[in-house]
């Protein structure tokens, strides 16, 4: 890690959690830190000990560390075995590192959950009121270098047997809402459905309107439109 930035009056903290949106958040934080020529920190928090994480989570952390090294981040911080609310942990790191701007991903909390329990954003505003928050929406784009997918359209999943069916009209039976990217050159609804589940972003394979299981597929998020969210 490199710590030779000129502007020490600004300091960026990127908060990442498991899922395909993590890299996008890091890229956004790096872009801001480069523009400001200031320190950059990347933080992830987990209630479990680091050595008990499964292979998927360990792979995410390895990838984030690689990105931190590549972008000369000042530190990649792992807070494991954490039982405290995540806002408390983020605020503690923000104070310790003199953070002025925090990059966070959009959460999947419903409006009722935000009212009943209070969102992470509201908690952070109370904990560290003078820090700027950048809330990055779930990307509505996929990397599509060979024109494999059409432009994404809003779609929904309803339960059907042991799997799910893709539909394009909202009904009372809808379980998930997201964006469908149809493969080019097919008359059927084959492609990728992108949505949020349990506060994680998932991209699942669709074959002729059917999703057999909600298993994430490795398709990178296109960050080319990030400037829309600054």
């Amino acid at each position: 890690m490199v710590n030779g930035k000129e502007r020490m009056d600004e300091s960026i903290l990127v908060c990442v959690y498991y899922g395909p949106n993590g890299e996008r958040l890091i890229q956004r934080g790096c872009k801001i830190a480069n523009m400001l020529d200031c320190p950059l920190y990347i933080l992830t928090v987990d209630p479990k000990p680091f050595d008990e994480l499964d292979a998927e989570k360990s792979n995410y952390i390895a990838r984030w560390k690689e990105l931190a090294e590549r972008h000369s981040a000042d530190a990649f911080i792992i807070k494991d075995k954490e039982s405290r609310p995540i806002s408390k942990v983020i605020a503690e790191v923000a104070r310790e590192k003199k953070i002025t701007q925090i990059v966070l991903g959009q959460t999947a909390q419903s409006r009722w959950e935000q009212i009943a329990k209070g969102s992470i954003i509201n908690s952070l505003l109370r904990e560290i009121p003078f820090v700027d928050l950048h809330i990055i929406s779930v990307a509505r784009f996929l990397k599509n270098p060979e024109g494999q997918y059409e432009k994404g359209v809003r779609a929904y999943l309803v339960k059907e047997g042991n799997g799910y069916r893709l539909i394009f009209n909202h009904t009372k039976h809808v379980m998930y809402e997201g964006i469908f990217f149809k493969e080019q050159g097919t008359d059927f609804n084959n492609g990728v459905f992108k949505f949020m589940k349990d506060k994680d972003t998932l991209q699942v394979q669709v074959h002729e309107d059917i999703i057999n299981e909600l298993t994430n597929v490795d398709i990178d998020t296109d960050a080319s439109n990030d400037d829309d969210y600054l």
Side-chain angles (χ1 to χ4, degrees):
M1 304 288 177
V2 176
N3 190 1
K5 310 299 181 358
E6 294 184 3
R7 281 198 66 177
M8 302 305 291
D9 58 326
E10 293 284 349
S11 189
I12 311 300
L13 176 66
V14 180
C15 302
V16 292
Y17 195 66
Y18 312 109
N21 219 35
E23 291 189 24
R24 184 169 185 257
L25 298 179
I26 293 173
Q27 290 166 355
R28 167 54 64 87
C30 292
K31 182 181 292 187
I32 297 172
N34 286 336
M35 287 191 298
L36 298 177
D37 192 24
C38 69
L40 170 68
Y41 302 92
I42 299 166
L43 168 70
T44 189
V45 182
D46 200 294
K48 290 185 177 181
F50 176 67
D51 55 8
E52 292 183 10
L53 299 182
D54 60 29
E56 183 179 16
K57 290 183 176 181
S58 297
N59 287 337
Y60 274 120
I61 289 174
R63 175 60 176 160
W64 296 335
K65 285 182 176 179
E66 178 187 332
L67 286 172
E69 291 282 356
R70 183 190 305 171
H71 292 285
S72 300
D74 290 68
F76 179 80
I77 304 166
I78 299 175
K79 292 287 188 178
D80 61 346
K81 297 181 287 188
E82 274 293 350
S83 59
R84 295 176 294 170
I86 191 169
S87 58
K88 296 282 187 183
V89 182
I90 294 173
E92 178 182 82
V93 173
R95 295 188 191 102
E96 178 186 333
K97 300 299 183 182
K98 297 180 173 57
I99 299 299
T100 60
Q101 301 187 43
I102 294 177
V103 177
L104 289 164
Q106 176 187 20
T107 70
Q109 283 180 302
S110 70
R111 183 63 181 162
W112 174 250
E113 286 176 318
Q114 291 180 17
I115 294 171
K117 301 178 182 178
S119 70
I120 291 174
I121 307 306
N122 291 336
S123 298
L124 284 174
L125 289 172
R126 289 192 297 268
E127 290 276 347
I128 40 177
F130 300 109
V131 173
D132 293 336
L133 301 181
H134 299 262
I135 313 303
I136 310 303
S137 74
V138 176
R140 294 178 291 106
F141 306 91
L142 296 177
K143 279 189 176 179
N144 198 15
E146 299 177 358
Q148 183 179 357
Y149 299 100
E150 297 178 3
K151 183 178 179 181
V153 297
R154 187 162 301 281
Y156 310 91
L157 297 189
V158 294
K159 188 69 176 171
E160 183 170 291
N162 294 325
Y164 299 84
R165 176 172 289 276
L166 182 78
I167 63 174
F168 297 94
N169 295 311
H170 190 278
T171 74
K172 65 180 181 180
H173 302 295
V174 164
M175 296 192 68
Y176 300 106
E177 177 179 349
I179 303 293
F180 174 61
F181 300 88
K182 184 177 180 179
E183 289 183 4
Q184 294 274 17
T186 176
D187 293 330
F188 302 100
N189 286 322
N190 299 321
V192 173
F193 181 73
K194 185 170 188 172
F195 67 109
M196 294 194 75
K197 179 179 182 291
D198 300 329
K199 301 184 182 180
D200 290 333
T201 308
L202 292 183
Q203 297 165 163
V204 297
Q205 202 75 48
V206 181
H207 180 67
E208 295 185 8
D209 295 300
I210 300 300
I211 296 92
N212 291 319
E213 55 184 21
L214 301 183
T215 300
N216 195 58
V217 294
D218 186 17
I219 298 176
D220 291 331
T221 297
D222 185 350
S224 62
N225 290 275
D226 275 358
D227 290 340
D228 294 343
Y229 302 104
L230 267 176

